Amino acid sequence: MHPEVLAMPRKRTPHRIAVIAPSPVSMFNLAIPELLFGKVEVDGRPGYEVIICAAEPGPVPTSGSLDLYVRHGLDAVREADTVVVAGTGEPYEPDPRIVAAVKEAAGDGKRIASLCTGAFQLAEAGLLEGRRATTYWAHAEALRRRYPQVDLQGDVLYVQDGPFVTASGYAAGIDLCLHIIRTDYGAAVANEVARLTLVAPVRPGGQTQFTHTPLPPERGTACADTRGWAMRNLDKPLTLTDLARHAGVSVRTLTRRFHAESGVSPLQWLLHQRIERARELLETTTLPMDQVARACGLGTADSLRAHVVRRTGLTPSAYRAQFTRLGTGSAAAASPAA
């Protein structure tokens, strides 16, 4: 076990993020952090300042047909609170200049994240030795062979171990960025960013201290109406029979379709949504614990406590104290319907 705290302390706003573009960089990798972090507002002000930088300012080749012009060099890393290393989509030799920059940043106590094959840069810097990490599945074996001291997690969207956060490929970078936003500003802010950018709400990845098994991306729409209906009725004691009746199919058919589309059983999905609703209510209301439990369908305050502790490592009261958004102008005490 490593001694680092589970969540980064809340910084001044805006929180500075340096996104390093290796060569040739994935344009998709670069676009994700700037888009998502750029949507965060706290008290009407930007929550993040994002700076794209490279080992050599100027034209940077991409993995596609375009070249990118990057104005900032790696000096931007020294001024950042968080450093994100983008990937290329392909294995590559780590750039010693980038390796040195992230190693120095880690020594200064900064949070370091990687997208896709950016994990190779972190591993080369020795930051992932003895730690859990992930990368794009197609290149996981290459990372495992080259850096056998990394505890590679091949079946997660992203994983956090201490101050280091690594994501697998492509769209998992969205999940990593939303996870960082939730860590810094809470689930309500992260979910609002997800709504603004038309992506799935915050999905857990691999940080065992605050999450369980990730929900895979949804792969179909046959049960979409039923999922939406369930989300609007989380305060009710929904059963498999209720879900099947709404979908107009048998319980067996519902279970088969639901698992094919969501990667989990209907009741696993439902429990995940109830806990996420509980977290949002803890952050954005002053409701007593028994009312929070009833509003999200967890029944009792004891049940709420058990599930929140299992998911986050914190009691509901401690979670509310750490992540409340009340009194900041971005949320207000409200009923569950607000």
Side-chain angles (χ1 to χ4, degrees), residues 1-150:
M1 293 296 292
H2 295 281
E4 296 88 355
V5 294
L6 300 184
M8 297 295 288
R10 296 193 179 190
K11 300 276 187 179
R12 66 190 183 283
T13 54
H15 180 112
R16 292 180 178 175
I17 295 185
V19 183
I20 301 176
S23 176
V25 69
S26 163
M27 292 281 284
F28 188 57
N29 271 200
L30 278 187
I32 290 169
E34 192 152 45
L35 173 63
L36 294 177
F37 293 130
K39 294 294 184 183
V40 175
E41 286 194 359
V42 180
D43 301 335
R45 295 172 295 179
Y48 295 98
E49 176 188 357
V50 181
I51 298 175
I52 308 295
C53 60
E56 288 187 18
V60 174
T62 72
S63 54
S65 59
L66 299 175
D67 284 346
L68 186 71
Y69 190 89
V70 177
R71 295 194 302 271
H72 301 281
L74 295 177
D75 287 347
V77 172
R78 295 191 180 95
E79 303 299 321
D81 302 305
T82 293
V83 179
V84 179
V85 183
T88 68
E90 297 292 340
Y92 60 96
E93 283 300 313
D95 187 318
R97 295 166 295 182
I98 295 176
V99 170
V102 297
K103 192 170 185 177
E104 179 182 346
D108 291 338
K110 302 178 190 295
R111 177 172 52 195
I112 314 291
S114 68
L115 308 179
C116 193
T117 53
F120 282 75
Q121 306 272 15
L122 275 62
E124 182 69 17
L127 306 183
L128 303 181
E129 185 170 337
R131 294 183 182 273
R132 292 173 297 114
T134 192
T135 191
Y136 184 43
W137 64 267
H139 307 306
E141 187 56 36
L143 189 143
R144 182 180 285 110
R145 287 196 306 268
R146 182 163 181 166
Y147 307 103
Q149 299 307 312
V150 177

Side-chain angles (χ1 to χ4, degrees), residues 19-331:
V19 183
I20 301 176
S23 176
V25 69
S26 163
M27 292 281 284
F28 188 57
N29 271 200
L30 278 187
I32 290 169
E34 192 152 45
L35 173 63
L36 294 177
F37 293 130
K39 294 294 184 183
V40 175
E41 286 194 359
V42 180
D43 301 335
R45 295 172 295 179
Y48 295 98
E49 176 188 357
V50 181
I51 298 175
I52 308 295
C53 60
E56 288 187 18
V60 174
T62 72
S63 54
S65 59
L66 299 175
D67 284 346
L68 186 71
Y69 190 89
V70 177
R71 295 194 302 271
H72 301 281
L74 295 177
D75 287 347
V77 172
R78 295 191 180 95
E79 303 299 321
D81 302 305
T82 293
V83 179
V84 179
V85 183
T88 68
E90 297 292 340
Y92 60 96
E93 283 300 313
D95 187 318
R97 295 166 295 182
I98 295 176
V99 170
V102 297
K103 192 170 185 177
E104 179 182 346
D108 291 338
K110 302 178 190 295
R111 177 172 52 195
I112 314 291
S114 68
L115 308 179
C116 193
T117 53
F120 282 75
Q121 306 272 15
L122 275 62
E124 182 69 17
L127 306 183
L128 303 181
E129 185 170 337
R131 294 183 182 273
R132 292 173 297 114
T134 192
T135 191
Y136 184 43
W137 64 267
H139 307 306
E141 187 56 36
L143 189 143
R144 182 180 285 110
R145 287 196 306 268
R146 182 163 181 166
Y147 307 103
Q149 299 307 312
V150 177
D151 182 7
L152 189 64
Q153 309 287 300
D155 57 351
V156 297
L157 297 173
Y158 60 88
V159 59
Q160 176 160 358
D161 192 328
F164 306 115
V165 198
T166 53
S168 54
Y170 297 102
I174 296 172
D175 297 293
L176 179 144
C177 291
L178 289 174
H179 165 72
I180 288 176
I181 294 168
R182 181 174 64 184
T183 299
D184 292 342
Y185 296 112
V189 174
N191 288 339
E192 177 62 17
V193 171
R195 285 190 287 268
L196 288 172
T197 52
L198 300 177
V199 298
V202 179
R203 295 184 295 170
Q207 183 188 358
T208 57
Q209 294 93 337
F210 278 83
T211 59
H212 277 332
T213 304
L215 290 184
E218 293 174 357
R219 297 183 291 272
T221 60
C223 296
D225 286 345
T226 297
R227 288 195 295 267
W229 173 78
M231 289 291 291
R232 296 189 296 273
N233 291 276
L234 289 178
D235 59 323
K236 297 180 175 62
L238 301 177
T239 65
L240 269 177
T241 301
D242 295 327
L243 295 172
R245 183 182 299 114
H246 182 274
V249 297
S250 69
V251 168
R252 177 177 293 183
T253 298
L254 173 81
T255 301
R256 184 179 68 252
R257 290 181 181 175
F258 215 100
H259 199 282
E261 293 182 12
S262 301
V264 293
S265 72
L267 293 184
Q268 287 175 318
W269 177 88
L270 190 61
L271 177 60
H272 174 79
Q273 303 304 333
R274 292 190 191 284
I275 297 171
E276 286 300 299
R277 176 68 57 81
R279 292 171 71 160
E280 191 160 343
L281 291 174
L282 289 170
E283 294 175 22
T284 61
T285 77
T286 57
L287 289 172
M289 297 307 169
D290 58 341
Q291 292 186 34
V292 171
R294 288 196 299 270
C296 63
L298 290 175
T300 67
D302 287 342
S303 177
L304 171 72
R305 178 187 175 90
H307 285 295
V308 172
V309 168
R310 189 175 300 119
R311 175 66 59 84
T312 70
L314 301 172
T315 66
S317 296
Y319 184 88
R320 171 174 276 168
Q322 181 165 340
F323 291 106
T324 183
R325 298 300 301 151
L326 298 179
T328 65
S330 60

